Amino acid sequence: MARKRSFDLEVVLDQIMIYFWQYGFRKTGFRELTTATGIKTQSLYNAYGSKDQLYYQALTHYVNITNQCADQILQGEQTADQRLANLLILDWGNRPYPPGCMVISSLSEFDQIDPKLHEVANTLFDHLTSSFMTVLNTMQADLRPDLELSAIAAELLTLHNGIQVAVRDNPDPEIIKMITATAIQSIKKV
C-alpha cells in the first residue's frame, strides 16, 4: 500500500521554483532542493520525477503565477497608464519571490535542458502581449496614430523583459519608474 504524502505539492513546488529561479538549473541538484524544501530526495523524485521534469513543472508553475498576476492587473481599478506600468514591472508585492523573471533569467539554459521549455516561455510572452493589447485597446484615443497596436504591444513585451533584468540586477525602484513612465509617454499623443 502506498504511503500518503506528508507535504503539499503546490507549496513544495513553489519552494522548488524559487530555488531554480535564484540559482538556475545547472547549479541546482536534488541535494539543494531537499535542503530548501525539507523533503527527502526519493520523495521529491516520486512526486515530481527527474530534475528535468521538476524544472519543467517549476517553470510552468512560474508562468501560471505570472499570468494570474497579469490578469489581476487587468482587472484592477487603476488607470490604463498604471496598468501598463504594472504589467511592465510585475511587482510580486509581499510574495517571497526573487527579483526579476525566472523565464528571462533561464532562457540560455532551455536548449540544454529541454527545447519544450521554449513553449512554456512563449505561453508567458503570448499572455503578456495579449495583456498589453487589452490595455492598449482601452486607450486608443490617447495613442500616437502612427503606431500599430500590435507593434506597441511587442515593444512593451521587449521592454518588460529588459526591465526584469534591470529589477534583478539593480532593483532601484525610482529608475524602474522612470523607465516605465518614459515608455508609456513615448506611445501617447503629444
Side-chain angles (χ1 to χ4, degrees):
M1 184 162 102
R3 289 176 43 189
K4 187 177 177 186
R5 283 193 187 99
S6 61
F7 58 91
D8 183 320
L9 288 171
E10 285 294 310
V11 170
V12 172
L13 187 57
D14 205 59
Q15 293 169 330
I16 291 167
M17 174 194 73
I18 290 169
Y19 200 91
F20 276 126
W21 188 348
Q22 288 178 310
Y23 301 103
F25 180 80
R26 284 188 211 105
K27 294 180 181 177
T28 302
F30 271 100
R31 183 178 335 149
E32 290 80 13
L33 294 175
T34 59
T35 301
T37 62
I39 309 295
K40 293 181 180 177
T41 301
Q42 190 60 47
S43 295
L44 284 177
Y45 188 82
N46 289 342
Y48 303 102
S50 69
K51 179 181 164 185
D52 290 11
Q53 293 168 324
L54 187 52
Y55 186 78
Y56 184 86
Q57 291 175 63
L59 190 70
T60 301
H61 180 66
Y62 171 82
V63 168
N64 291 336
I65 290 169
T66 305
N67 288 346
Q68 289 171 4
C69 182
D71 291 344
Q72 289 172 350
I73 290 168
L74 292 178
Q75 296 164 6
E77 297 295 323
Q78 299 110 350
T79 67
D81 286 11
Q82 290 169 325
R83 284 186 285 154
L84 283 181
N86 290 340
L87 286 169
L88 287 167
I89 297 169
L90 281 180
D91 182 4
W92 297 112
N94 62 358
R95 291 183 180 185
Y97 293 157
C101 173
M102 181 181 179
V103 170
I104 299 301
S105 295
S106 305
L107 279 174
S108 64
E109 295 183 307
F110 286 179
D111 287 330
Q112 298 161 10
I113 304 167
D114 185 346
K116 288 190 308 185
L117 293 171
H118 288 288
E119 294 171 21
V120 177
N122 287 334
T123 300
L124 172 64
F125 298 148
D126 292 345
H127 191 84
L128 286 171
T129 301
S130 174
S131 298
F132 286 126
M133 284 295 293
T134 298
V135 178
L136 292 169
N137 278 317
T138 68
M139 53 189 301
Q140 281 189 7
D142 297 326
L143 299 176
R144 288 177 33 201
D146 61 318
L147 299 176
E148 251 186 73
L149 289 185
S150 60
I152 298 171
E155 181 181 341
L156 290 173
L157 176 66
T158 302
L159 181 60
H160 162 83
N161 294 346
I163 286 172
Q164 295 309 305
V165 173
V167 166
R168 181 194 67 207
D169 295 343
N170 183 14
D172 182 344
E174 290 308 310
I175 292 174
I176 302 303
K177 285 179 188 176
M178 287 185 340
I179 292 169
T180 59
T182 302
I184 294 166
Q185 195 58 42
S186 73
I187 63 174
K188 296 176 90 173
K189 291 178 184 174
V190 180

